[in-house]
Amino acid sequence: MALPHPRIAIVGRPNVGKSTLFNRLVGHKIALVDDTPGVTRDRREGEARIGDLRFTAIDTAGLDEAEPDSLTARMSAQSEEAVRSADLSLFLIDARTGVTPVDAHFAGLLRRLGSPVILVANKAEGKAGEAGYLEAYGLGLGEPVPVSAEHGEGLLDLRDAIEAALPAVGAEAGTEADADVLPAPGKPIQVAVVGRPNAGKSTLINRLLGEERLVTGPEAGITRDAIAVDWTWRGRNFRLFDTAGLRRRARVEGKLEKLAVGDTLRAVRFAEVVVLVIDAGTPFEKQDLQIADLVEREGRSIVIAIDKWDLVDERQKVLARLREEVERLLPQIRGVALVPVSGLTGEGLDRLIEAVVRTHDVWGKRVPTPPLNRWLAAMVERHPPPAVSGRRIKLRYLTQTKARPPTFVAFCSRPEALPDAWTRYLVNALREDFKLPGVPIRLLLRKGENPFEGRKARQN
């Protein structure tokens, strides 16, 4: 018998995207969405999921200050009741607008209610949401989770935050397992196996599992859905997603293939590590590079498996050439693990999974702020930013705001004038000096002094 799913309320002031997030989580448009504030008036519930995590989502009316007994006040009371009855609340702010007095007022209310809360900075896509995301730290509700409910970005981080806030979710209540089935210890690493059609993805997974779990064959396009399989290797748990092959957009034909491609893209977004399978006979074709670029843009960590290695002659020479090519063709993931394998014979599969685990650890790495700023001072002294219009650009402070992928914010005098080449120099040095090979690195530039000094003083 399955245990009941946890109840999670989505709350916030009007028009911050609560219903959009609700629809995204339940998988279809149940709640009405419009730019007009106050469309949602009653609580609405739906069975939601993020990857393999299941829960009951509760859409609520906007929290707003109002006269007693007014419609707005009754709607807010409904939202407060939803918070009290829920196991957890997601408090949304609009990252593009920033923190408003109404946000601050209701953040205080949520703290007084005392129920678990996750602060979510919605509409955080692009640079427009950076300032609001940083402002959200001041609400006193912990580290904000940046998402875009409209575009489906940041949901993996939201899932992790939910699991951390409600440990029972990951172990039992929010999974698809029955209570009679004891879950394996440890949270599984989510691994999506992607590539062009007929690159050998399903054969590779079957060899890892030691059984013919997935249908394979010489025909391209056999796999249509993203199939999830649980697997344990050396005491570590994994969830492997076999996916449909990704062809060039112009060659995607018919509704069924379009749905399959959409399923693959969702698997990439929810993955923690993406294994890009490349055919050793035709390596690094344009579509391979486009898939790798997609994975980097989604912020996922990546390992490249060179499959069908059993067919390769002069292996050392070929491997050296491939490593040179990947550094030249994919500089945005410099240092990415390149592992020769054979799904047919099983060669190299242990090395592949070792690379997956290492890359997963790097992807989640956090660098403390003090060594970052000592490093920044040394970098600026060694190679100062060029003067623009006769004025030096001063870099004042560097901090890591999140992991998965490693994301850093640098505060400087004129971020808009800092040349892209110098930013790339800083990113490449971050990657090398702090041992961050093969994962996307985000470096955001903000204008100003150290924004956290005042907040730390208040906390002390």
Side-chain angles (χ1 to χ4, degrees):
M1 177 179 177
L3 294 174
H5 295 157
R7 295 168 57 80
I8 299 179
I10 304 172
V11 298
R13 64 178 174 81
N15 218 29
V16 294
K18 298 183 298 298
S19 294
T20 302
L21 179 61
F22 176 83
N23 286 338
R24 172 71 62 179
L25 296 175
V26 301
H28 51 285
K29 290 187 178 180
I30 296 178
L32 293 178
V33 176
D34 193 82
D35 289 337
T36 305
V39 172
T40 302
R41 291 183 172 178
D42 298 298
R43 284 179 281 168
R44 186 187 301 272
E45 297 187 5
E47 294 307 307
R49 66 184 299 168
I50 308 179
D52 60 337
L53 174 66
R54 289 179 177 269
F55 54 94
T56 299
I58 308 168
D59 189 27
T60 66
L63 290 165
D64 210 345
E65 299 175 287
E67 293 294 325
D69 298 325
S70 67
L71 175 60
T72 301
R74 294 196 298 274
M75 290 160 56
S76 292
Q78 281 283 318
S79 298
E80 291 179 31
E81 182 57 31
V83 171
R84 291 188 179 93
S85 65
D87 299 295
L88 175 69
S89 297
L90 306 181
F91 180 49
L92 267 66
I93 68 157
D94 184 335
R96 292 183 299 191
T97 302
V99 174
T100 69
V102 176
D103 291 324
H105 173 79
F106 284 104
L109 171 65
L110 291 170
R111 289 197 300 271
R112 290 193 296 274
L113 289 174
S115 59
V117 178
I118 294 173
L119 177 59
V120 180
N122 190 29
K123 307 181 186 179
E125 67 275 13
K127 294 183 178 180
E130 294 171 13
Y133 166 74
L134 294 171
E135 287 179 10
Y137 278 90
L139 290 173
L141 294 174
E143 181 177 354
V145 180
V147 305
S148 170
E150 182 177 358
H151 300 289
E153 297 174 7
L155 297 185
L156 178 65
D157 291 328
L158 180 60
R159 181 194 68 189
D160 291 345
I162 291 171
E163 290 183 342
L166 295 176
V169 173
E172 49 188 19
T175 65
E176 296 176 339
D178 285 345
D180 300 329
V181 181
L182 291 176
K187 179 187 170 188
I189 298 176
Q190 311 279 325
V191 181
V193 182
V194 304
R196 288 182 280 130
N198 216 27
K201 301 179 294 296
S202 299
T203 302
L204 187 64
I205 293 178
N206 281 342
R207 176 61 65 172
L208 288 170
L209 299 175
E211 60 176 303
E212 293 297 311
R213 172 66 174 77
L214 305 168
V215 178
T216 62
E219 303 85 359
I222 291 178
T223 303
R224 286 177 170 172
D225 300 331
I227 307 298
V229 184
D230 291 321
W231 178 61
T232 301
W233 176 83
R234 296 183 183 175
R236 292 290 295 262
N237 293 332
F238 298 81
R239 172 156 285 191
L240 307 175
F241 290 85
D242 186 31
T243 64
L246 290 171
R247 297 199 293 172
R248 293 196 302 273
R249 182 178 298 180
R251 297 184 60 187
V252 175
E253 299 174 352
K255 181 179 180 181
L256 190 58
E257 187 175 1
K258 290 178 181 178
L259 291 173
V261 168
D263 220 25
T264 297
L265 297 178
R266 280 189 293 274
V268 169
R269 293 186 183 108
F270 286 116
E272 295 172 323
V273 183
V274 175
V275 174
L276 173 57
V277 181
I278 292 179
D279 189 327
T282 54
F284 298 123
E285 291 195 349
K286 183 178 180 181
Q287 184 65 1
D288 296 324
L289 302 178
Q290 289 179 338
I291 295 171
D293 186 59
L294 166 70
V295 174
E296 191 277 337
R297 283 187 281 110
E298 290 291 339
R300 307 301 95 187
S301 58
I302 183 171
V303 172
I304 298 178
I306 306 295
D307 195 19
K308 306 180 184 178
W309 197 245
D310 54 299
L311 304 178
V312 173
D313 298 322
E314 298 183 314
R315 293 183 171 188
Q316 291 302 318
K317 182 178 179 180
V318 171
L319 184 58
R321 176 174 55 81
L322 292 176
R323 284 180 171 152
E324 181 182 321
E325 284 187 14
V326 77
E327 292 295 299
R328 176 175 55 85
L329 297 170
L330 295 171
Q332 66 272 41
I333 48 173
R334 184 167 295 167
V336 62
L338 193 70
V339 186
V341 300
S342 170
L344 188 64
T345 68
E347 179 183 358
L349 296 191
D350 279 344
R351 291 195 300 273
L352 175 64
I353 303 305
E354 288 168 358
V356 166
V357 173
R358 284 197 309 272
T359 301
H360 179 264
D361 291 343
V362 171
W363 186 59
K365 184 175 180 179
R366 282 188 175 272
V367 182
T369 297
L372 270 177
N373 281 283
R374 289 193 295 270
W375 172 87
L376 179 64
M379 294 298 295
V380 171
E381 183 177 355
R382 185 186 314 151
H383 183 49
V388 178
S389 301
R391 296 165 56 198
R392 284 286 181 190
I393 299 173
K394 297 179 181 179
L395 276 89
R396 299 189 172 102
Y397 185 77
L398 180 66
T399 187
Q400 183 177 359
T401 57
K402 66 184 289 287
R404 311 178 67 177
T407 301
F408 302 87
V409 176
F411 292 85
C412 59
S413 57
R414 290 186 296 151
E416 73 285 350
L418 196 66
D420 290 341
W422 204 89
T423 303
R424 286 194 300 271
Y425 156 75
L426 209 60
V427 169
N428 290 334
L430 273 170
R431 187 186 302 282
E432 182 175 348
D433 293 342
F434 291 102
K435 305 295 188 290
L436 299 170
V439 298
I441 293 178
R442 305 288 188 253
L443 178 60
L444 310 177
L445 301 175
R446 304 295 303 166
K447 185 174 183 178
E449 305 284 347
N450 176 359
F452 299 106
E453 287 179 347
R455 183 168 64 87
K456 290 178 180 177
R458 289 194 298 271
Q459 288 175 348
N460 294 335

